[in-house]
Amino acid sequence: MKTIRIEPRTSFKHPVVGTVLGLLGVAGPQLPRAASFLGVKAWEWIESLRIVGFFMLVVGIILLIGVLRRRNIPWVVIDTQNGERCFPLEKEVTPDVEQLVQDLNTVHSAQSNIGARPNLN
């Protein structure tokens, strides 16, 4: 762990991906028509695609609602050697949480200044 901090980020982490997948999902009911256009004549396949298209529509609408309703919320961001790890906070940041983050950064900076750690193997 390099650092830990609290910063505002959007509640929907990947709005562009959510929008693209949501629009694809909304087009789901067109699957039976596309299959007929491509030459699928079996009634069972067309019915299956109609059901799949309905579920795609529902998931697409949920994704688009999530993208449209996104807002800035506080996230705990931990920088590690492998990149960032982010965790959303459900409620407002209290002074206790801010103090905890500050204490963790203080402890980490003190440990990194100690030097080489002994090998206990």
Side-chain angles (χ1 to χ4, degrees):
M1 180 178 88
K2 293 179 184 176
T3 60
I4 183 170
R5 64 185 182 280
I6 297 174
E7 65 182 42
R9 293 187 176 193
T10 62
S11 58
F12 199 95
K13 195 168 183 177
H14 302 289
V16 174
V17 174
T19 302
V20 170
L21 292 177
L23 291 174
L24 285 173
V26 170
Q30 301 301 318
L31 284 176
R33 184 178 299 162
S36 296
F37 179 75
L38 293 173
V40 176
K41 302 290 183 209
W43 178 83
E44 296 85 10
W45 278 101
I46 300 295
E47 262 320 293
S48 296
L49 290 175
R50 187 169 288 129
I51 293 169
V52 168
F54 173 75
F55 283 108
M56 285 178 64
L57 174 68
V58 170
V59 171
I61 289 172
I62 290 170
L63 283 172
L64 290 175
I65 288 172
V67 169
L68 291 174
R69 293 192 59 195
R70 73 183 188 271
R71 63 199 188 290
N72 280 338
I73 60 171
W75 288 66
V76 173
V77 181
I78 302 171
D79 286 325
T80 66
Q81 290 146 350
N82 297 328
E84 282 186 351
R85 298 286 301 173
C86 306
F87 305 96
L89 297 174
E90 296 296 322
K91 298 179 180 170
E92 285 191 36
V93 179
T94 63
D96 293 336
V97 173
E98 289 179 354
Q99 185 64 41
L100 174 67
V101 169
Q102 187 177 17
D103 291 347
L104 288 172
N105 277 326
T106 304
V107 167
H108 175 69
S109 63
Q111 286 179 350
S112 63
N113 292 334
I114 291 174
R117 296 182 184 156
N119 189 357
L120 301 176
N121 291 337

